[in-house]
Amino acid sequence: MTGGAIDAHVHVWDLERFGLSWFRPELGLPRAADVRDLAVAAGEAATPAGRVTGAIAVQAADTVEEAQWLSGLRDPLLAGVVLQYDPEDRPDGARSELAGRVRGVRVAVPARRPDLADVAGADALCERIGRAHGVVEFLVRAEQLPAVAGIAARHPRTQIVVCHLGLGAAEPDDSWEAGLRAVAAQSNAAAKASGLVTATDPAGDRLARALAVAVDAFGPERLLFGSDWPMSARIAPYAAVVDRTAAALPRLGASGDEAFWGGTARRIYRL
């Protein structure tokens, strides 16, 4: 897949087929987040690298039924899939198999200990996925970033990616910056600039600070754009998320824009 932008972080689901443990009607999310709806939303956006031509779908919850459904989806926009890690999976289980469009596994552990010592099997997972040339993603809070840096250091041949800059909706304070820079010091680590557009930051000052730190720490060659659709649609339309991200970014130059908006994702996820 060449040309255009890659959205490295979206979610799709269908509650008629499987449940999501965290889903509640008051969240204002659709019962079905379809790739076709994503295509319509993304089709209205214009990134510095052109239109969105591919997306990485990250498993929204953690059931085998959802993983099997997501792995079996076929759509021209769906460039790759990242499945959720479940410590109870057997090492040779379905979510350890990087086949078809499955490009990696996400360890979603923001509720766990700061040192991640209570995340069973994380090192074994990184070894296994690294041998398969896949990606291990981490959804963590800021105080867990040093632990992710330690994991990346122990597994230098494994591609590590931090979702949402390890920040999400929190404030980009000095402690977060130190943790993110610790991750960035590992050459096998990258980060997604995803899930960062919030309703409480209409001027984009918080977003601009977070992106300035991320670009300085990683460079555009190890940063990836992600919309976090459809979560982000509760805050702004897809095109507005793209526009707000582009406006908040430091100047990257032509090669930097190509990397951030698509090239990094193509390389990391082997698209």
PDB file of all heavy atoms in Angstrom, residues 13-48:
ATOM      1  N   TRP A  13     -16.691  -2.087  15.454  1.00  0.00           N
ATOM      2  CA  TRP A  13     -17.365  -3.131  16.237  1.00  0.00           C
ATOM      3  C   TRP A  13     -18.797  -3.291  15.755  1.00  0.00           C
ATOM      4  O   TRP A  13     -19.301  -2.488  14.958  1.00  0.00           O
ATOM      5  CB  TRP A  13     -17.337  -2.813  17.734  1.00  0.00           C
ATOM      6  CG  TRP A  13     -18.044  -1.537  18.134  1.00  0.00           C
ATOM      7  CD1 TRP A  13     -19.389  -1.298  18.166  1.00  0.00           C
ATOM      8  CD2 TRP A  13     -17.429  -0.318  18.563  1.00  0.00           C
ATOM      9  NE1 TRP A  13     -19.648  -0.026  18.594  1.00  0.00           N
ATOM     10  CE2 TRP A  13     -18.471   0.599  18.854  1.00  0.00           C
ATOM     11  CE3 TRP A  13     -16.112   0.085  18.762  1.00  0.00           C
ATOM     12  CZ2 TRP A  13     -18.230   1.900  19.313  1.00  0.00           C
ATOM     13  CZ3 TRP A  13     -15.867   1.382  19.209  1.00  0.00           C
ATOM     14  CH2 TRP A  13     -16.912   2.276  19.482  1.00  0.00           C
ATOM     15  N   ASP A  14     -19.467  -4.320  16.259  1.00  0.00           N
ATOM     16  CA  ASP A  14     -20.859  -4.598  15.932  1.00  0.00           C
ATOM     17  C   ASP A  14     -21.477  -5.319  17.122  1.00  0.00           C
ATOM     18  O   ASP A  14     -21.232  -6.512  17.334  1.00  0.00           O
ATOM     19  CB  ASP A  14     -20.960  -5.449  14.669  1.00  0.00           C
ATOM     20  CG  ASP A  14     -22.402  -5.650  14.219  1.00  0.00           C
ATOM     21  OD1 ASP A  14     -23.322  -5.317  14.993  1.00  0.00           O
ATOM     22  OD2 ASP A  14     -22.609  -6.160  13.090  1.00  0.00           O
ATOM     23  N   LEU A  15     -22.271  -4.598  17.902  1.00  0.00           N
ATOM     24  CA  LEU A  15     -22.843  -5.186  19.117  1.00  0.00           C
ATOM     25  C   LEU A  15     -23.912  -6.231  18.837  1.00  0.00           C
ATOM     26  O   LEU A  15     -24.329  -6.937  19.759  1.00  0.00           O
ATOM     27  CB  LEU A  15     -23.421  -4.073  20.001  1.00  0.00           C
ATOM     28  CG  LEU A  15     -22.408  -3.087  20.589  1.00  0.00           C
ATOM     29  CD1 LEU A  15     -23.081  -2.135  21.558  1.00  0.00           C
ATOM     30  CD2 LEU A  15     -21.266  -3.828  21.283  1.00  0.00           C
ATOM     31  N   GLU A  16     -24.333  -6.351  17.597  1.00  0.00           N
ATOM     32  CA  GLU A  16     -25.252  -7.437  17.241  1.00  0.00           C
ATOM     33  C   GLU A  16     -24.509  -8.766  17.155  1.00  0.00           C
ATOM     34  O   GLU A  16     -25.112  -9.831  17.211  1.00  0.00           O
ATOM     35  CB  GLU A  16     -25.934  -7.141  15.909  1.00  0.00           C
ATOM     36  CG  GLU A  16     -26.808  -5.897  15.917  1.00  0.00           C
ATOM     37  CD  GLU A  16     -27.891  -5.962  16.979  1.00  0.00           C
ATOM     38  OE1 GLU A  16     -28.535  -7.026  17.101  1.00  0.00           O
ATOM     39  OE2 GLU A  16     -28.088  -4.958  17.683  1.00  0.00           O
ATOM     40  N   ARG A  17     -23.185  -8.713  17.040  1.00  0.00           N
ATOM     41  CA  ARG A  17     -22.371  -9.922  16.896  1.00  0.00           C
ATOM     42  C   ARG A  17     -21.640 -10.306  18.172  1.00  0.00           C
ATOM     43  O   ARG A  17     -21.370 -11.474  18.424  1.00  0.00           O
ATOM     44  CB  ARG A  17     -21.346  -9.734  15.769  1.00  0.00           C
ATOM     45  CG  ARG A  17     -21.974  -9.553  14.393  1.00  0.00           C
ATOM     46  CD  ARG A  17     -20.922  -9.239  13.363  1.00  0.00           C
ATOM     47  NE  ARG A  17     -21.470  -9.101  12.030  1.00  0.00           N
ATOM     48  CZ  ARG A  17     -21.625 -10.076  11.149  1.00  0.00           C
ATOM     49  NH1 ARG A  17     -21.251 -11.309  11.476  1.00  0.00           N
ATOM     50  NH2 ARG A  17     -22.131  -9.863   9.959  1.00  0.00           N
ATOM     51  N   PHE A  18     -21.271  -9.326  18.977  1.00  0.00           N
ATOM     52  CA  PHE A  18     -20.519  -9.576  20.213  1.00  0.00           C
ATOM     53  C   PHE A  18     -20.692  -8.365  21.129  1.00  0.00           C
ATOM     54  O   PHE A  18     -21.072  -7.279  20.696  1.00  0.00           O
ATOM     55  CB  PHE A  18     -19.028  -9.811  19.921  1.00  0.00           C
ATOM     56  CG  PHE A  18     -18.411  -8.736  19.070  1.00  0.00           C
ATOM     57  CD1 PHE A  18     -17.992  -7.529  19.612  1.00  0.00           C
ATOM     58  CD2 PHE A  18     -18.276  -8.921  17.702  1.00  0.00           C
ATOM     59  CE1 PHE A  18     -17.452  -6.532  18.819  1.00  0.00           C
ATOM     60  CE2 PHE A  18     -17.733  -7.927  16.898  1.00  0.00           C
ATOM     61  CZ  PHE A  18     -17.321  -6.733  17.463  1.00  0.00           C
ATOM     62  N   GLY A  19     -20.423  -8.577  22.417  1.00  0.00           N
ATOM     63  CA  GLY A  19     -20.531  -7.498  23.378  1.00  0.00           C
ATOM     64  C   GLY A  19     -19.194  -6.814  23.619  1.00  0.00           C
ATOM     65  O   GLY A  19     -18.136  -7.362  23.334  1.00  0.00           O
ATOM     66  N   LEU A  20     -19.280  -5.591  24.140  1.00  0.00           N
ATOM     67  CA  LEU A  20     -18.109  -4.858  24.601  1.00  0.00           C
ATOM     68  C   LEU A  20     -18.330  -4.563  26.082  1.00  0.00           C
ATOM     69  O   LEU A  20     -19.299  -3.893  26.444  1.00  0.00           O
ATOM     70  CB  LEU A  20     -17.946  -3.541  23.822  1.00  0.00           C
ATOM     71  CG  LEU A  20     -17.751  -3.646  22.306  1.00  0.00           C
ATOM     72  CD1 LEU A  20     -17.749  -2.261  21.673  1.00  0.00           C
ATOM     73  CD2 LEU A  20     -16.460  -4.383  21.978  1.00  0.00           C
ATOM     74  N   SER A  21     -17.453  -5.053  26.918  1.00  0.00           N
ATOM     75  CA  SER A  21     -17.679  -4.983  28.360  1.00  0.00           C
ATOM     76  C   SER A  21     -17.825  -3.556  28.872  1.00  0.00           C
ATOM     77  O   SER A  21     -18.512  -3.313  29.867  1.00  0.00           O
ATOM     78  CB  SER A  21     -16.525  -5.682  29.092  1.00  0.00           C
ATOM     79  OG  SER A  21     -15.284  -5.076  28.757  1.00  0.00           O
ATOM     80  N   TRP A  22     -17.214  -2.602  28.198  1.00  0.00           N
ATOM     81  CA  TRP A  22     -17.225  -1.226  28.669  1.00  0.00           C
ATOM     82  C   TRP A  22     -18.344  -0.384  28.055  1.00  0.00           C
ATOM     83  O   TRP A  22     -18.552   0.768  28.439  1.00  0.00           O
ATOM     84  CB  TRP A  22     -15.891  -0.554  28.339  1.00  0.00           C
ATOM     85  CG  TRP A  22     -15.483  -0.711  26.902  1.00  0.00           C
ATOM     86  CD1 TRP A  22     -14.650  -1.650  26.381  1.00  0.00           C
ATOM     87  CD2 TRP A  22     -15.930   0.088  25.787  1.00  0.00           C
ATOM     88  NE1 TRP A  22     -14.536  -1.492  25.005  1.00  0.00           N
ATOM     89  CE2 TRP A  22     -15.307  -0.428  24.629  1.00  0.00           C
ATOM     90  CE3 TRP A  22     -16.776   1.189  25.667  1.00  0.00           C
ATOM     91  CZ2 TRP A  22     -15.523   0.114  23.362  1.00  0.00           C
ATOM     92  CZ3 TRP A  22     -16.996   1.729  24.407  1.00  0.00           C
ATOM     93  CH2 TRP A  22     -16.363   1.197  23.273  1.00  0.00           C
ATOM     94  N   PHE A  23     -19.072  -0.943  27.072  1.00  0.00           N
ATOM     95  CA  PHE A  23     -20.042  -0.145  26.313  1.00  0.00           C
ATOM     96  C   PHE A  23     -21.258   0.208  27.167  1.00  0.00           C
ATOM     97  O   PHE A  23     -21.861  -0.640  27.803  1.00  0.00           O
ATOM     98  CB  PHE A  23     -20.493  -0.893  25.063  1.00  0.00           C
ATOM     99  CG  PHE A  23     -21.313  -0.059  24.117  1.00  0.00           C
ATOM    100  CD1 PHE A  23     -20.700   0.613  23.078  1.00  0.00           C
ATOM    101  CD2 PHE A  23     -22.687   0.069  24.276  1.00  0.00           C
ATOM    102  CE1 PHE A  23     -21.442   1.395  22.196  1.00  0.00           C
ATOM    103  CE2 PHE A  23     -23.435   0.845  23.417  1.00  0.00           C
ATOM    104  CZ  PHE A  23     -22.815   1.521  22.367  1.00  0.00           C
ATOM    105  N   ARG A  24     -21.615   1.491  27.148  1.00  0.00           N
ATOM    106  CA  ARG A  24     -22.823   1.977  27.827  1.00  0.00           C
ATOM    107  C   ARG A  24     -23.504   2.998  26.919  1.00  0.00           C
ATOM    108  O   ARG A  24     -22.819   3.823  26.282  1.00  0.00           O
ATOM    109  CB  ARG A  24     -22.488   2.639  29.166  1.00  0.00           C
ATOM    110  CG  ARG A  24     -21.734   1.748  30.139  1.00  0.00           C
ATOM    111  CD  ARG A  24     -21.628   2.394  31.530  1.00  0.00           C
ATOM    112  NE  ARG A  24     -21.047   3.715  31.477  1.00  0.00           N
ATOM    113  CZ  ARG A  24     -19.730   3.969  31.420  1.00  0.00           C
ATOM    114  NH1 ARG A  24     -18.865   2.951  31.387  1.00  0.00           N
ATOM    115  NH2 ARG A  24     -19.278   5.208  31.391  1.00  0.00           N
ATOM    116  N   PRO A  25     -24.830   2.999  26.837  1.00  0.00           N
ATOM    117  CA  PRO A  25     -25.536   3.935  25.947  1.00  0.00           C
ATOM    118  C   PRO A  25     -25.189   5.395  26.212  1.00  0.00           C
ATOM    119  O   PRO A  25     -25.123   6.197  25.273  1.00  0.00           O
ATOM    120  CB  PRO A  25     -27.015   3.656  26.244  1.00  0.00           C
ATOM    121  CG  PRO A  25     -27.041   2.238  26.723  1.00  0.00           C
ATOM    122  CD  PRO A  25     -25.776   2.059  27.502  1.00  0.00           C
ATOM    123  N   GLU A  26     -24.955   5.738  27.476  1.00  0.00           N
ATOM    124  CA  GLU A  26     -24.682   7.138  27.804  1.00  0.00           C
ATOM    125  C   GLU A  26     -23.349   7.647  27.264  1.00  0.00           C
ATOM    126  O   GLU A  26     -23.066   8.852  27.303  1.00  0.00           O
ATOM    127  CB  GLU A  26     -24.729   7.359  29.318  1.00  0.00           C
ATOM    128  CG  GLU A  26     -23.782   6.514  30.126  1.00  0.00           C
ATOM    129  CD  GLU A  26     -24.403   5.223  30.624  1.00  0.00           C
ATOM    130  OE1 GLU A  26     -25.320   4.707  29.948  1.00  0.00           O
ATOM    131  OE2 GLU A  26     -23.970   4.735  31.680  1.00  0.00           O
ATOM    132  N   LEU A  27     -22.517   6.738  26.748  1.00  0.00           N
ATOM    133  CA  LEU A  27     -21.253   7.163  26.149  1.00  0.00           C
ATOM    134  C   LEU A  27     -21.459   7.876  24.814  1.00  0.00           C
ATOM    135  O   LEU A  27     -20.541   8.530  24.307  1.00  0.00           O
ATOM    136  CB  LEU A  27     -20.326   5.963  25.953  1.00  0.00           C
ATOM    137  CG  LEU A  27     -19.789   5.307  27.218  1.00  0.00           C
ATOM    138  CD1 LEU A  27     -18.995   4.045  26.879  1.00  0.00           C
ATOM    139  CD2 LEU A  27     -18.917   6.276  27.999  1.00  0.00           C
ATOM    140  N   GLY A  28     -22.649   7.718  24.231  1.00  0.00           N
ATOM    141  CA  GLY A  28     -22.933   8.399  22.981  1.00  0.00           C
ATOM    142  C   GLY A  28     -22.249   7.792  21.779  1.00  0.00           C
ATOM    143  O   GLY A  28     -21.999   8.490  20.781  1.00  0.00           O
ATOM    144  N   LEU A  29     -21.961   6.504  21.846  1.00  0.00           N
ATOM    145  CA  LEU A  29     -21.292   5.807  20.747  1.00  0.00           C
ATOM    146  C   LEU A  29     -22.284   4.929  19.992  1.00  0.00           C
ATOM    147  O   LEU A  29     -23.259   4.447  20.575  1.00  0.00           O
ATOM    148  CB  LEU A  29     -20.154   4.944  21.291  1.00  0.00           C
ATOM    149  CG  LEU A  29     -18.954   5.706  21.853  1.00  0.00           C
ATOM    150  CD1 LEU A  29     -18.081   4.770  22.683  1.00  0.00           C
ATOM    151  CD2 LEU A  29     -18.148   6.334  20.725  1.00  0.00           C
ATOM    152  N   PRO A  30     -22.048   4.678  18.716  1.00  0.00           N
ATOM    153  CA  PRO A  30     -22.966   3.836  17.945  1.00  0.00           C
ATOM    154  C   PRO A  30     -22.855   2.368  18.349  1.00  0.00           C
ATOM    155  O   PRO A  30     -21.796   1.913  18.784  1.00  0.00           O
ATOM    156  CB  PRO A  30     -22.491   4.036  16.505  1.00  0.00           C
ATOM    157  CG  PRO A  30     -21.032   4.340  16.643  1.00  0.00           C
ATOM    158  CD  PRO A  30     -20.911   5.154  17.894  1.00  0.00           C
ATOM    159  N   ARG A  31     -23.932   1.631  18.192  1.00  0.00           N
ATOM    160  CA  ARG A  31     -23.898   0.198  18.487  1.00  0.00           C
ATOM    161  C   ARG A  31     -23.094  -0.556  17.433  1.00  0.00           C
ATOM    162  O   ARG A  31     -22.600  -1.641  17.708  1.00  0.00           O
ATOM    163  CB  ARG A  31     -25.326  -0.360  18.575  1.00  0.00           C
ATOM    164  CG  ARG A  31     -26.074   0.106  19.806  1.00  0.00           C
ATOM    165  CD  ARG A  31     -27.434  -0.576  19.918  1.00  0.00           C
ATOM    166  NE  ARG A  31     -27.327  -2.018  19.927  1.00  0.00           N
ATOM    167  CZ  ARG A  31     -27.027  -2.750  21.009  1.00  0.00           C
ATOM    168  NH1 ARG A  31     -26.781  -2.150  22.163  1.00  0.00           N
ATOM    169  NH2 ARG A  31     -26.978  -4.068  20.929  1.00  0.00           N
ATOM    170  N   ALA A  32     -22.957   0.018  16.280  1.00  0.00           N
ATOM    171  CA  ALA A  32     -22.119  -0.562  15.233  1.00  0.00           C
ATOM    172  C   ALA A  32     -21.239   0.543  14.662  1.00  0.00           C
ATOM    173  O   ALA A  32     -21.739   1.568  14.198  1.00  0.00           O
ATOM    174  CB  ALA A  32     -22.964  -1.185  14.131  1.00  0.00           C
ATOM    175  N   ALA A  33     -19.935   0.346  14.749  1.00  0.00           N
ATOM    176  CA  ALA A  33     -18.958   1.261  14.135  1.00  0.00           C
ATOM    177  C   ALA A  33     -18.400   0.524  12.932  1.00  0.00           C
ATOM    178  O   ALA A  33     -17.577  -0.378  13.061  1.00  0.00           O
ATOM    179  CB  ALA A  33     -17.861   1.617  15.121  1.00  0.00           C
ATOM    180  N   ASP A  34     -18.878   0.882  11.759  1.00  0.00           N
ATOM    181  CA  ASP A  34     -18.621   0.126  10.535  1.00  0.00           C
ATOM    182  C   ASP A  34     -17.496   0.766   9.729  1.00  0.00           C
ATOM    183  O   ASP A  34     -17.344   1.987   9.707  1.00  0.00           O
ATOM    184  CB  ASP A  34     -19.905   0.074   9.700  1.00  0.00           C
ATOM    185  CG  ASP A  34     -19.814  -0.923   8.567  1.00  0.00           C
ATOM    186  OD1 ASP A  34     -19.324  -0.538   7.491  1.00  0.00           O
ATOM    187  OD2 ASP A  34     -20.227  -2.082   8.762  1.00  0.00           O
ATOM    188  N   VAL A  35     -16.726  -0.079   9.045  1.00  0.00           N
ATOM    189  CA  VAL A  35     -15.645   0.433   8.198  1.00  0.00           C
ATOM    190  C   VAL A  35     -16.202   1.343   7.117  1.00  0.00           C
ATOM    191  O   VAL A  35     -15.565   2.323   6.722  1.00  0.00           O
ATOM    192  CB  VAL A  35     -14.843  -0.722   7.568  1.00  0.00           C
ATOM    193  CG1 VAL A  35     -13.706  -0.179   6.702  1.00  0.00           C
ATOM    194  CG2 VAL A  35     -14.280  -1.641   8.641  1.00  0.00           C
ATOM    195  N   ARG A  36     -17.410   1.062   6.633  1.00  0.00           N
ATOM    196  CA  ARG A  36     -18.002   1.916   5.602  1.00  0.00           C
ATOM    197  C   ARG A  36     -18.302   3.307   6.145  1.00  0.00           C
ATOM    198  O   ARG A  36     -18.145   4.302   5.435  1.00  0.00           O
ATOM    199  CB  ARG A  36     -19.268   1.262   5.057  1.00  0.00           C
ATOM    200  CG  ARG A  36     -18.990   0.003   4.222  1.00  0.00           C
ATOM    201  CD  ARG A  36     -20.253  -0.777   3.955  1.00  0.00           C
ATOM    202  NE  ARG A  36     -20.816  -1.325   5.186  1.00  0.00           N
ATOM    203  CZ  ARG A  36     -21.897  -2.091   5.243  1.00  0.00           C
ATOM    204  NH1 ARG A  36     -22.523  -2.414   4.118  1.00  0.00           N
ATOM    205  NH2 ARG A  36     -22.341  -2.553   6.391  1.00  0.00           N
ATOM    206  N   ASP A  37     -18.722   3.385   7.416  1.00  0.00           N
ATOM    207  CA  ASP A  37     -18.950   4.688   8.041  1.00  0.00           C
ATOM    208  C   ASP A  37     -17.627   5.433   8.211  1.00  0.00           C
ATOM    209  O   ASP A  37     -17.558   6.656   8.042  1.00  0.00           O
ATOM    210  CB  ASP A  37     -19.634   4.513   9.397  1.00  0.00           C
ATOM    211  CG  ASP A  37     -21.001   3.869   9.270  1.00  0.00           C
ATOM    212  OD1 ASP A  37     -21.682   4.125   8.261  1.00  0.00           O
ATOM    213  OD2 ASP A  37     -21.377   3.104  10.174  1.00  0.00           O
ATOM    214  N   LEU A  38     -16.593   4.690   8.574  1.00  0.00           N
ATOM    215  CA  LEU A  38     -15.263   5.293   8.679  1.00  0.00           C
ATOM    216  C   LEU A  38     -14.824   5.854   7.334  1.00  0.00           C
ATOM    217  O   LEU A  38     -14.273   6.956   7.259  1.00  0.00           O
ATOM    218  CB  LEU A  38     -14.260   4.249   9.170  1.00  0.00           C
ATOM    219  CG  LEU A  38     -12.777   4.642   9.119  1.00  0.00           C
ATOM    220  CD1 LEU A  38     -12.499   5.831  10.016  1.00  0.00           C
ATOM    221  CD2 LEU A  38     -11.902   3.448   9.496  1.00  0.00           C
ATOM    222  N   ALA A  39     -15.069   5.115   6.265  1.00  0.00           N
ATOM    223  CA  ALA A  39     -14.665   5.562   4.932  1.00  0.00           C
ATOM    224  C   ALA A  39     -15.352   6.867   4.555  1.00  0.00           C
ATOM    225  O   ALA A  39     -14.729   7.768   3.980  1.00  0.00           O
ATOM    226  CB  ALA A  39     -14.968   4.480   3.898  1.00  0.00           C
ATOM    227  N   VAL A  40     -16.630   6.983   4.899  1.00  0.00           N
ATOM    228  CA  VAL A  40     -17.364   8.219   4.608  1.00  0.00           C
ATOM    229  C   VAL A  40     -16.773   9.379   5.395  1.00  0.00           C
ATOM    230  O   VAL A  40     -16.524  10.464   4.853  1.00  0.00           O
ATOM    231  CB  VAL A  40     -18.859   8.051   4.925  1.00  0.00           C
ATOM    232  CG1 VAL A  40     -19.581   9.391   4.846  1.00  0.00           C
ATOM    233  CG2 VAL A  40     -19.499   7.046   3.978  1.00  0.00           C
ATOM    234  N   ALA A  41     -16.540   9.162   6.700  1.00  0.00           N
ATOM    235  CA  ALA A  41     -15.990  10.216   7.543  1.00  0.00           C
ATOM    236  C   ALA A  41     -14.595  10.623   7.093  1.00  0.00           C
ATOM    237  O   ALA A  41     -14.279  11.816   6.965  1.00  0.00           O
ATOM    238  CB  ALA A  41     -15.958   9.754   9.002  1.00  0.00           C
ATOM    239  N   ALA A  42     -13.743   9.633   6.820  1.00  0.00           N
ATOM    240  CA  ALA A  42     -12.367   9.923   6.422  1.00  0.00           C
ATOM    241  C   ALA A  42     -12.311  10.547   5.032  1.00  0.00           C
ATOM    242  O   ALA A  42     -11.387  11.312   4.723  1.00  0.00           O
ATOM    243  CB  ALA A  42     -11.535   8.645   6.442  1.00  0.00           C
ATOM    244  N   GLY A  43     -13.299  10.255   4.206  1.00  0.00           N
ATOM    245  CA  GLY A  43     -13.321  10.800   2.857  1.00  0.00           C
ATOM    246  C   GLY A  43     -13.496  12.302   2.821  1.00  0.00           C
ATOM    247  O   GLY A  43     -13.214  12.937   1.793  1.00  0.00           O
ATOM    248  N   GLU A  44     -13.949  12.881   3.927  1.00  0.00           N
ATOM    249  CA  GLU A  44     -14.140  14.329   4.012  1.00  0.00           C
ATOM    250  C   GLU A  44     -12.899  15.049   4.516  1.00  0.00           C
ATOM    251  O   GLU A  44     -12.890  16.274   4.636  1.00  0.00           O
ATOM    252  CB  GLU A  44     -15.329  14.638   4.924  1.00  0.00           C
ATOM    253  CG  GLU A  44     -16.644  14.027   4.427  1.00  0.00           C
ATOM    254  CD  GLU A  44     -17.779  14.193   5.419  1.00  0.00           C
ATOM    255  OE1 GLU A  44     -17.510  14.710   6.526  1.00  0.00           O
ATOM    256  OE2 GLU A  44     -18.915  13.835   5.085  1.00  0.00           O
ATOM    257  N   ALA A  45     -11.846  14.294   4.838  1.00  0.00           N
ATOM    258  CA  ALA A  45     -10.639  14.883   5.427  1.00  0.00           C
ATOM    259  C   ALA A  45      -9.544  15.020   4.386  1.00  0.00           C
ATOM    260  O   ALA A  45      -9.425  14.199   3.467  1.00  0.00           O
ATOM    261  CB  ALA A  45     -10.149  14.020   6.589  1.00  0.00           C
ATOM    262  N   ALA A  46      -8.731  16.053   4.559  1.00  0.00           N
ATOM    263  CA  ALA A  46      -7.563  16.262   3.705  1.00  0.00           C
ATOM    264  C   ALA A  46      -6.352  16.460   4.596  1.00  0.00           C
ATOM    265  O   ALA A  46      -6.239  17.469   5.287  1.00  0.00           O
ATOM    266  CB  ALA A  46      -7.766  17.469   2.798  1.00  0.00           C
ATOM    267  N   THR A  47      -5.453  15.488   4.622  1.00  0.00           N
ATOM    268  CA  THR A  47      -4.246  15.583   5.427  1.00  0.00           C
ATOM    269  C   THR A  47      -3.115  16.168   4.579  1.00  0.00           C
ATOM    270  O   THR A  47      -3.207  16.196   3.349  1.00  0.00           O
ATOM    271  CB  THR A  47      -3.805  14.200   5.951  1.00  0.00           C
ATOM    272  OG1 THR A  47      -3.103  13.502   4.902  1.00  0.00           O
ATOM    273  CG2 THR A  47      -5.003  13.372   6.401  1.00  0.00           C
ATOM    274  N   PRO A  48      -2.029  16.614   5.197  1.00  0.00           N
ATOM    275  CA  PRO A  48      -0.881  17.085   4.410  1.00  0.00           C
ATOM    276  C   PRO A  48      -0.293  16.027   3.495  1.00  0.00           C
ATOM    277  O   PRO A  48       0.445  16.355   2.571  1.00  0.00           O
ATOM    278  CB  PRO A  48       0.115  17.496   5.504  1.00  0.00           C
ATOM    279  CG  PRO A  48      -0.739  17.901   6.649  1.00  0.00           C
ATOM    280  CD  PRO A  48      -1.877  16.923   6.628  1.00  0.00           C
TER     281      PRO A  48
END
